[in-house]
Amino acid sequence: MLKDVTLGQYYQTDSWMHRLDPRVKLLGTLSYIIILFVVNSVPGYLVCGAFLLVCVLLSRVPFGYILRGLKTIMVLLLITVLFNLFLTPGEPLVSFWKFTITKEGLTFSIKMAVRLIFLIIASTLMTLTTSPNQLTDALESVLGPLKKLHVPVHEISMMMSIALRFIPILMEETDKIMKAQMARGADFDSGNLINKIKAMVPLLVPLFISAFRRANDLAMAMEARCYHGGEGRTKMKPLVYRKGDVGAYGVLCAFLAACIVIRVMGV
Amino acid sequence: MEIVKTIKLIHDYIVRDEEGNETGKVRAIDGVDLDVAPGQFIAVLGHNGSGKSTLAKHLNALLYPTEGQVILDGFDTTDESHLWDIRQEAGMVFQNPDNQIIGQVVEEDVGFGPENMGVPTKEIWERVEESLKAVGMWEFRKKSPNRLSGGQKQRVSIAGVIAMHPKCIIMDEPTAMLDPSGRHEVIRAARALNQVEHITIILITHYMEEAIYADKVFVMDEGKIALQGTPREVFSQVDRMKELHLDVPQVTLLAHELRKAGLPIPEGILTSRELALALGLQPKETGSAWD
Amino acid sequence: MGLKIEDITYTYESGTAMSVNALNHITTEIPDGQFIGLIGHTGSGKSTFVQMLNGLLKASSGHIYYNGEDIDGDGYDKKALRANVGLVFQYPENQLFEADVLTDVEFGPKNLGLNESARKARAEKALNLVGLSEKYWKASPFDLSGGQKRRAAIAGVLAMEPKILILDEPTAGLDPRGRDEILGLVRDMKNQLDMTILLVSHSMEDVAEYVDRILVMNAGQIMLDGTPREVFSHVSELEAVGLAAPQMTYIMRDLAAAGLPVRTDCLTVEEAAAEILSHRDAIPAAEKGGSHA
């Protein structure tokens, strides 16, 4: 059923990775992605790969789930690799018809592929082990300092969290309106592109009207429950670092340092 | 002192054309005087467009009077310095169960009000627990609201209001979109809060069955209070209620028909037991469908 | 001929651990000309069932025949089926989308490929049927009142000129006046157009008053099938699945228990009043007060 669709792809289980403070996971993933582009040698990638493997094992998420994340961007990955493979100038290795594979192209495309695969696995792992709720909380907390620059951090995270709550409801509504129009003979599948776009009007107009009505109702319900922005607000589930989280930061720092050392030493 | 009082309340909606120019006014509330004593269960009946929902929004300072006054527990709703006191003391439950739940998890939604009020974390958890238990939704605390039935969602909304420790809860057609069992659940929860926690309840509805247990019923029509009194006083006016396009309980209607046919039955029969007694029969103790 | 439903089953998320049997081996018939009430609590499978009847959902197993033809057969014209079996969804006003009422009602006929004058004629006829007068035809559907919006939406389905009309809880959310208007409308349509009507409802009172036959659904199956009087005589079975008989049945049962020898299967106020008055002799109060009828 459509109502079961959740945004992101949270995998519910109890693991060390799941229990980790979402801020650790958010900052960890970001720094991991950056460091992927800092290292550029085989030992460097080996260290990155090993680190990722340990994280995956600690998450107790089946490998299949993680690979599924890769599948969706396979096309993008292939295009990137092929472009780099054929279009990088340098010392030719093989050449056929109009294409030439260079040594530089080969190493560069392998590097890009490894980086992209690691990047995707790392971010998939984060969304698999962190509920969307925790992620918005973490974002609000991590971006907190930006409030001083008048960035509406609380509002952004409230918007994200409301969006997450209403996406399943709107999906269900889309399904209902679609069926209601089909009962009036509407056809959403056949015809050329222009006809298909035209056929969306009877679906989109009611959907927008309903979304606005819901937004209006919700705003009123929030006001009635004393909502007045982030000021003076307390938290039911405040983010608090525990010992394990501090340890995790330590491990993360050690890993980052190792990668930087590898890069600087040019191993 | 009254917990809720309106004095000659008038509300005009301004009608605008497509360019946003004022083209006229519609008077939604026309001189309403309402007095509600603390601890009462009040029902406001009326057909759609009778002004009852507009009235509800005045009691929580979501709308302000065009003329007249609304006094909530001694605070005038136009007094902005007490806006948050008013909203905390007069909780609102709305019609559409989906459009008033903010949290993605039941317990988080119930905590939303206290969070806004700046209640300390530990106390939020205590309030969430007591509120969810009060409406019988404690075992659903970890669930996504999307997985609940309509009646359960409305009970979560009620819990979200109770967690703010209000003196009075205004329910604006909370059962209009529910099936019979959902309606039953919500009304039972509302009655329990009134009887056990002594919270004043103002229930706005167009289902007369829900008004039977009220201490006082107000019937609205064209922005005015057309009838008021105990349920018995109001429902005994069968013909007037029909004029107002409202139902009366089926047993009241039956008694009314029998009376018209010449049987010596008083007006305002509300239960089959009362009808049996009026007919001179010995009623057996049986539970009515609404107990 | 009408609809013939043969052993249909519908499974959500089939093949996964989450699979749920929404419908479980249903066999029944909806012959032409009947006015049927379909009752069941939320989740009993009513909505799934009605969506199969016009081919919006496909049965996981079993067959549905319209006028003898299998609606899932190769090359069966689903659009023609949907024109013949009209379905009005719950809260149908949510599907309104055009700039004015008339154009919105024309949407169905337009999809059937009718030319401009034919579809205008149908739309006007449908709007007259639901009692929306000409002054609303050029209005935006969003400016109408709740009850009017609903009638405009029902006209949108009527303009397809269906032989069978299915209404999924057409009175949900309406006040008593709106409810009476819609139910009166359905009854008039039934009488004027000789349609087959399937009315899905929660309200026993509404169903008891209007229909000839009731289908009660529970847990994806048809639990009871018969005239209102037959079905409501199974009070304890109805209560066991979270439904109830009309209130009048309970009132009459209480009076009978108190010693008044009345029939307990009365469904409406008028019927009950007549029944009680026919036992005037047995009413102590009537004797004391002196009968003057």
Side-chain angles (χ1 to χ4, degrees), chain B residues 5-202:
Chain B
K5 190 174 173 66
T6 69
I7 305 161
K8 298 206 170 21
L9 175 65
I10 291 179
H11 187 87
D12 291 333
Y13 280 111
I14 293 167
V15 183
R16 292 176 194 278
D17 63 12
E18 276 157 22
E19 279 88 48
N21 302 312
E22 201 176 315
T23 54
K25 284 186 208 166
V26 176
R27 183 150 290 189
I29 298 184
D30 191 2
V32 165
D33 293 299
L34 201 69
D35 293 296
V36 179
Q40 279 191 315
F41 191 116
I42 301 293
V44 180
L45 280 173
H47 59 80
N48 290 343
S50 61
K52 59 190 194 306
S53 285
T54 309
L55 177 66
K57 292 188 179 93
H58 275 273
L59 306 183
N60 187 277
L62 290 169
L63 287 176
Y64 300 105
T66 307
E67 279 174 48
Q69 252 189 320
V70 179
I71 315 271
L72 206 126
D73 198 24
F75 302 122
D76 187 313
T77 57
T78 52
D79 178 0
E80 271 195 40
S81 61
H82 289 294
L83 180 64
W84 305 112
D85 294 318
I86 291 166
R87 295 219 170 128
Q88 180 258 311
E89 286 191 9
M92 285 279 279
V93 177
F94 298 88
Q95 185 185 86
N96 190 321
D98 277 324
N99 297 358
Q100 54 185 319
I101 296 182
I102 295 108
Q104 297 174 64
V105 181
V106 166
E107 61 181 14
E108 285 175 14
D109 185 69
V110 178
F112 181 76
E115 282 184 333
N116 293 331
M117 288 157 57
V119 174
T121 301
K122 187 167 163 285
E123 199 192 326
I124 296 181
W125 282 93
E126 288 161 13
R127 287 184 180 209
V128 167
E129 180 172 347
E130 75 186 20
S131 312
L132 280 171
K133 282 182 174 164
V135 297
M137 289 296 291
W138 177 239
E139 64 266 47
F140 296 93
R141 63 191 178 277
K142 299 283 178 199
K143 288 253 191 275
S144 155
N146 293 336
R147 300 248 175 198
L148 304 179
S149 74
Q152 290 172 332
K153 281 183 209 169
Q154 288 300 60
R155 275 150 68 200
V156 170
S157 297
I158 295 174
V161 169
I162 306 171
M164 295 168 71
H165 289 178
K167 290 189 177 162
C168 153
I169 302 180
I170 299 133
M171 302 191 177
D172 187 4
E173 299 194 40
T175 58
M177 298 180 78
L178 305 182
D179 64 7
S181 57
R183 267 158 57 191
H184 211 130
E185 279 173 46
V186 170
I187 296 304
R188 203 163 40 202
R191 287 182 67 200
L193 289 178
N194 179 248
Q195 284 164 2
V196 181
E197 317 274 337
H198 305 289
I199 299 174
T200 311
I201 305 272
I202 300 179

Side-chain angles (χ1 to χ4, degrees), chain C:
Chain C
M1 290 282 273
L3 279 164
K4 203 170 158 201
I5 295 103
E6 229 175 63
D7 196 31
I8 56 166
T9 296
Y10 186 76
T11 313
Y12 278 113
E13 317 225 342
S14 55
T16 70
M18 300 268 293
S19 83
V20 181
N21 265 5
L23 295 179
N24 216 338
H25 300 288
I26 289 187
T27 299
T28 188
E29 255 183 87
I30 299 174
D32 284 335
Q34 277 192 346
F35 192 167
I36 304 174
L38 178 61
I39 298 183
H41 61 77
T42 310
S44 60
K46 304 179 296 228
S47 293
T48 311
F49 179 63
V50 295
Q51 286 178 35
M52 311 217 115
L53 300 181
N54 73 347
L56 283 173
L57 290 177
K58 193 181 172 305
S60 309
S61 72
H63 298 276
I64 296 174
Y65 301 94
Y66 178 64
N67 287 343
E69 281 182 83
D70 189 337
I71 66 165
D72 288 316
D74 282 337
Y76 189 85
D77 186 354
K78 283 266 166 76
K79 218 184 241 187
L81 174 74
R82 284 172 198 159
N84 284 320
V85 183
L87 173 56
V88 179
F89 274 83
Q90 222 181 98
Y91 299 104
E93 56 275 17
N94 290 347
Q95 77 198 24
L96 298 169
F97 71 99
E98 281 286 4
D100 64 86
V101 172
L102 191 68
T103 319
D104 199 283
V105 177
E106 282 180 33
F107 179 67
K110 195 170 137 196
N111 288 328
L112 296 178
L114 296 177
N115 66 33
E116 213 177 312
S117 63
R119 64 190 191 224
K120 192 154 181 274
R122 276 194 179 200
E124 288 177 357
K125 194 176 152 201
L127 283 165
N128 282 326
L129 266 168
V130 299
L132 267 186
S133 62
E134 210 170 329
K135 67 175 171 182
Y136 297 113
W137 293 0
K138 283 290 156 200
S140 160
F142 307 109
D143 290 339
L144 303 181
S145 77
Q148 289 168 336
K149 268 188 209 169
R150 187 152 306 176
R151 281 186 277 158
I154 294 175
V157 175
L158 280 179
M160 313 269 291
E161 303 199 337
K163 307 278 183 297
I164 300 175
L165 183 66
I166 304 168
L167 300 117
D168 191 354
E169 288 178 42
T171 62
L174 294 181
D175 62 4
R177 171 165 44 175
R179 177 201 64 204
D180 292 344
E181 277 174 6
I182 297 286
L183 291 174
L185 181 77
V186 172
R187 173 153 60 187
D188 292 348
M189 282 182 332
K190 165 87 183 65
N191 295 338
Q192 285 173 27
L193 302 178
D194 194 33
M195 275 184 185
T196 308
I197 292 187
L198 184 64
L199 180 70
V200 181
S201 177
H202 286 307
S203 166
M204 303 304 148
E205 283 73 24
D206 295 349
V207 171
E209 207 172 325
Y210 292 89
V211 305
D212 325 314
R213 174 183 165 202
I214 292 180
L215 293 173
V216 181
M217 282 191 71
N218 182 49
Q221 285 177 317
I222 291 179
M223 185 182 108
L224 292 168
D225 180 355
T227 64
R229 216 175 290 286
E230 282 161 17
V231 167
F232 291 136
S233 64
H234 299 267
V235 180
S236 48
E237 278 128 294
L238 289 170
E239 285 176 346
V241 299
L243 295 169
Q247 283 173 41
M248 203 40 77
T249 311
Y250 291 99
I251 296 168
M252 294 304 268
R253 287 202 334 165
D254 286 352
L255 291 181
L260 193 65
V262 286
R263 279 190 358 250
T264 57
D265 60 353
C266 297
L267 300 176
T268 63
V269 172
E270 294 73 30
E271 202 187 338
E275 174 64 16
I276 293 173
L277 290 170
S278 73
H279 294 278
R280 210 181 260 268
D281 310 339
I283 301 172
E287 284 159 25
K288 251 185 279 162
S291 168
H292 49 79

Side-chain angles (χ1 to χ4, degrees), chain A residues 114-181:
Chain A
V114 171
R115 277 174 184 166
L116 279 174
I117 290 170
F118 283 5
L119 184 152
I120 287 147
I121 292 179
S123 38
T124 314
L125 189 65
M126 179 181 74
T127 52
L128 282 169
T129 57
T130 319
S131 73
N133 268 1
Q134 291 177 312
L135 216 53
T136 38
D137 279 354
L139 211 62
E140 183 176 358
S141 164
V142 168
L143 297 180
L146 291 180
K147 273 185 208 160
K148 292 211 175 67
L149 302 172
H150 298 285
V151 177
V153 175
H154 167 76
E155 284 74 8
I156 291 172
S157 95
M158 182 56 85
M159 274 160 60
M160 278 176 61
S161 133
I162 288 172
L164 287 169
R165 152 115 180 86
F166 277 88
I167 282 168
I169 293 176
L170 289 176
M171 301 255 275
E172 204 182 339
E173 183 138 20
T174 309
D175 183 56
K176 248 197 247 165
I177 296 171
M178 211 160 167
K179 278 183 180 158
Q181 305 298 25

